[in-house]
Amino acid sequence: MQADIAPPPATSLTAAPPQRVSVRDAVLDLLRGFGIHTIFGNPGSTELALFLDFPDDFQYVLGLQESVVVGMADGYAQATHNASFVNLHSAAGVGHAMGNIFTAHKNRTPMVITAGQQARAILPFDPFLFSGQATELPKPYVKWSCEPARAEDVPLAIARAYYIAMQEPRGPVLVSIPADDWERLTEPVAVREVAHTMRPDPVTLAHIGDALDASQRPAIVVGAAIDRGQAWSEVVQLAERHNARVWVAPMSGRCSFPEDHRLFAGFLPAMREKIVQLLGGHDFVFAIGAPAFTYHVEGAGPHLPAGATLAQLIEDPSVAAWTPVGTAAVGNIRLGVQELLQRPAPRTRALPPPRAARSVALPPPAGERMSCAFVLQTLAELRAPDSVVVEESPTARPVMHGYLPMLQSETFYTMCSGGLGWSMPAAVGVALAKPQAKVIGLIGDGSSMYSIQALWSAAQLKLPITYIILNNRRYAALQEFAPVFGFQPGDKLQGTDLRDIDFVALAQGHGCQGARVTDATQLRDALQAALAAPGPFLLEVEIA
C-alpha cells in the first residue's frame, strides 16, 4: 500500500504575485532606469494623464511648437549620447513635428517619441483629435512604431522602443498611447542590459587594413558617425599613423577631425565631379562614419578618381548597401578603428602637402555691410575653443569652413537632413545637456523663422546660448543655387526676399536680450558682449 504524501504548503510553490502599479508609474520607473529624467513636450488633452502627480526628479521642457520640441530633444540626445524622451499630441502634433523627426532620422538620433491618442473606448467612433493610423503617420522616418494592443503593454512597448532607438544605427521611434492607458494597473518592467553596438566583421576589416597599409597616397573621408560614436581620438591616431590626408564628407552634421591639424585637407562638396577632382592623386580612399558619397545635384562619370579604390566603415548597413563601389565593413566606428590601430605599424609615408592657408577677411569700406567671412573670422578669434557651435545657415556654411574652424570633439552640430528649423531648438537641447559650455547658435535669417519659438524656451530655462543671426535679408542659398536650374544673372527669383524682420524685437518678445550690429567697427565689442551674457542673447548682424 502506497503511503499518501501530503502536498507541500501552497506558499512554497506559488510565488507572491508582483505588485501592480499604474502604467504611468511603471513608465516613469523605466525611464529612471534608462537614465532619462527630462521630458520634452507640447501637451494636448490626450497627454494630460501622464503628468498627474508629476515627480520632482523629472524635468518637463516645454516647447511652443512640436517641431521645436523634437529639435530640442534631438540636440539633447546627441549631446548626452542617450535617447531623449518626447511627448507629442496625437496626429496634429506628430504632423507638426515631422520636419524634425525626418532630421532626427537623418541625424541618427536616438529618441523615444510618445504620441497621445484618444481613449480606447471611443476610438471606434472616429473621435475628435484622434490619430486614425498612428503607427503609419511617422513612417518611414522612425525605426519602429507601435500602439500597444493593451494598456498593460505600454511599459513593455516603451522598453522595446528604447532598445531599438539606441541600437546602431540609432534613430527615433514612436509609441502611440491612448489617454486612458496611464491609470491602468500593470506589472513593472525591469531594465535589461542590451548591447547597442556591433563589432565589424574582422575579416572585412583585415582586408581594409591590408589595402590601407599597401596604399601609396591614402585619403580618409570623415563623417558624423565618428563624433556620434565617440571615435574622434582614434580617427586622429589612424590618420597620423598613415600620414593620410583627411577630408570631411559632404553634408556632415558633426565635427569629426580637428580642422587645425596638419593632415586636415578640407571639405568635400556634394557634387560627384568635384569630389573626384579633389580626391585626385589618392590611390585609396577610406570613408569612416560617412556615406560615400552624398550628392546634392545630378552628376556623371566615376565616383572615384582613376586608379583609386574605396573602403568604408559605417554603422548603418543600408548606407553600405547603396554605396556604388568598394569594400564596406558594417559596425561600430570606434570598435572598428580600434581594431585597425592594433595592426602592426605600417611603413612610414611622407607627409602630404599642407592645406593652403586661408585668406584674411578684411573689414568693409565705411558705409558698406560686413562680409560673412569677416563676421565668422571675428567670432573665431573671440570664442573659446570648447564652445559649441550649433549651425543652420546654408549660405554661410562654406564660409564657415574657411573662417570658423572646429578644433575639438563635440563642438559642432548641424542637421544632416538639409531640413530647416532644427538648430534654433537644438541649441536649447545641447545647452541643457552641456550646462558648463557656451553654446553659439549660428543661424541664417531665413532659417531662424522656422522655429523662432525656441527663444522662449531658452529664456525660460536661462540657458547660456548666444544666438547670432546672419541677416542678409534673403534666402540666399536658393538664389545662389538658381543657376543650376537655368536662371541667368539678373533674373527675378520669386519668394526669396526677406524684408522688414526685426530680430531684436522678436528676441525681446520671447524674453531674451537682443542687439543689432551694422557697423564693422562695432562688431568685436558686440560679439564680446553677446558671448559674455550669462543667459540667452540674440545678436543680429547685418551682412552683405
Side-chain angles (χ1 to χ4, degrees):
M1 179 177 179
Q2 186 174 2
D4 291 335
I5 300 175
T11 54
S12 67
L13 283 179
T14 307
Q19 181 181 5
R20 291 170 68 81
V21 298
S22 70
V23 167
R24 177 178 54 252
D25 288 342
V27 169
L28 291 173
D29 280 342
L30 190 60
L31 295 181
R32 291 184 181 101
F34 293 143
I36 297 173
H37 293 267
T38 301
I39 297 175
F40 296 88
N42 181 278
S45 56
T46 54
E47 293 78 59
L48 293 180
L50 171 61
F51 309 124
L52 185 66
D53 299 325
F54 196 69
D56 293 337
D57 61 330
F58 276 79
Q59 178 185 23
Y60 186 85
V61 178
L62 174 63
L64 299 186
Q65 204 263 7
E66 288 88 345
S67 187
V68 171
V69 168
V70 173
M72 292 191 298
D74 190 327
Y76 187 77
Q78 290 201 58
T80 60
H81 297 277
N82 192 20
S84 53
F85 189 83
V86 177
N87 185 243
L88 301 178
H89 181 47
S90 192
V94 176
H96 287 161
M98 276 305 299
N100 273 336
I101 292 174
F102 169 67
T103 292
H105 163 73
K106 289 294 187 180
N107 286 351
R108 305 294 189 266
T109 300
M111 185 183 301
V112 177
I113 302 169
T114 56
Q117 175 65 290
Q118 279 288 9
R120 291 178 186 268
I122 60 171
L123 285 179
F125 309 111
D126 281 13
F128 185 64
L129 288 177
F130 93 117
S131 185
Q133 299 183 50
T135 61
E136 298 300 312
L137 178 58
K139 292 180 179 177
Y141 301 120
V142 292
K143 293 181 67 178
W144 181 72
S145 60
C146 170
E147 186 172 275
R150 304 181 306 157
E152 294 86 347
D153 298 330
V154 168
L156 283 168
I158 296 292
R160 182 176 178 181
Y162 176 83
Y163 300 131
I164 292 173
M166 289 293 290
Q167 179 68 48
E168 289 185 334
R170 296 178 173 181
V173 296
L174 182 138
V175 180
S176 173
I177 305 176
D180 51 347
D181 283 7
W182 295 105
E183 295 299 332
R184 294 289 294 270
L185 294 180
T186 189
E187 296 180 5
V189 175
V191 172
R192 300 183 296 122
E193 182 177 349
V194 177
H196 302 317
T197 59
M198 178 181 68
R199 184 176 293 278
D201 173 53
V203 174
T204 305
L205 273 181
H207 292 161
I208 292 174
D210 291 343
L212 181 59
D213 290 345
S215 64
Q216 300 292 320
R217 297 172 303 282
I220 293 175
V221 177
V222 295
I226 290 172
D227 222 20
R228 282 201 304 264
Q230 299 176 285
W232 170 287
S233 61
E234 286 84 356
V235 171
V236 171
Q237 292 176 49
L238 187 70
E240 291 174 343
R241 182 185 180 115
H242 290 277
N243 275 342
R245 300 180 78 191
V246 178
W247 296 87
V248 176
M251 305 300 185
S252 180
R254 299 287 291 269
C255 177
S256 301
F257 197 82
E259 294 171 19
D260 60 348
H261 194 283
R262 172 67 177 74
L263 293 170
F264 183 68
F267 299 83
L268 296 178
M271 300 177 69
R272 185 191 305 192
E273 294 87 348
K274 288 189 176 181
I275 290 173
V276 170
Q277 178 185 359
L278 288 171
L279 294 178
H282 294 291
D283 60 348
F284 182 73
V285 178
F286 188 18
I288 306 178
F293 300 98
T294 299
Y295 302 131
H296 190 200
V297 295
E298 184 180 3
H303 299 277
L304 290 172
T309 57
L310 174 74
Q312 182 180 45
L313 173 60
I314 191 71
E315 90 279 31
D316 189 341
S318 67
V319 173
W322 67 249
T323 301
V325 296
T327 300
V330 177
N332 180 261
I333 304 301
R334 187 178 186 185
L335 294 177
V337 176
Q338 285 175 343
E339 188 159 331
L340 290 173
L341 289 171
Q342 292 170 6
R343 294 170 57 88
R347 58 184 173 76
T348 302
R349 295 184 184 88
L351 278 168
R355 186 187 186 196
R358 65 170 172 83
S359 59
V360 175
L362 299 175
E368 295 187 12
R369 295 184 185 272
M370 292 170 275
S371 68
C372 182
F374 179 75
V375 175
L376 298 185
Q377 175 181 274
T378 307
L379 176 61
E381 294 168 357
L382 295 175
R383 80 174 185 103
D386 60 352
S387 60
V388 181
V389 175
V390 184
E391 177 267 333
E392 190 176 296
S393 181
T395 310
R397 191 177 303 167
V399 184
M400 181 191 72
H401 291 162
Y403 292 89
L404 183 61
M406 303 300 156
L407 310 177
Q408 297 183 19
S409 176
E410 301 198 36
T411 59
F412 177 71
Y413 299 83
T414 189
M415 72 296 189
C416 292
S417 66
L420 301 181
W422 181 82
S423 293
M424 288 283 285
V428 173
V430 172
L432 275 171
K434 297 178 177 288
Q436 306 306 315
K438 166 59 71 173
V439 175
I440 301 168
L442 187 64
I443 316 291
D445 53 338
S447 298
S448 70
M449 296 307 298
Y450 285 74
S451 53
I452 198 72
Q453 306 96 322
L455 293 173
W456 182 86
S457 299
Q460 295 298 308
L461 296 165
K462 299 179 173 60
L463 297 173
I465 305 173
T466 299
Y467 285 106
I468 300 172
I469 304 296
L470 299 171
N471 186 1
N472 56 19
R473 302 161 306 286
R474 61 192 182 119
Y475 289 132
L478 291 179
Q479 294 179 350
E480 294 176 5
F481 206 69
V484 174
F485 294 95
F487 284 82
Q488 301 299 317
D491 285 352
K492 175 67 175 177
L493 183 59
Q494 298 298 323
T496 57
D497 291 329
L498 301 176
R499 301 189 184 94
D500 304 326
I501 301 175
D502 189 337
F503 290 98
V504 176
L506 287 171
Q508 293 170 346
H510 285 88
C512 292
Q513 290 182 280
R516 178 182 298 106
V517 59
T518 60
D519 188 336
T521 62
Q522 300 171 357
L523 176 64
R524 181 173 290 270
D525 289 344
L527 278 173
Q528 285 179 326
L531 293 171
F537 192 104
L538 183 146
L539 181 66
E540 177 186 352
V541 183
E542 294 191 1
I543 62 174

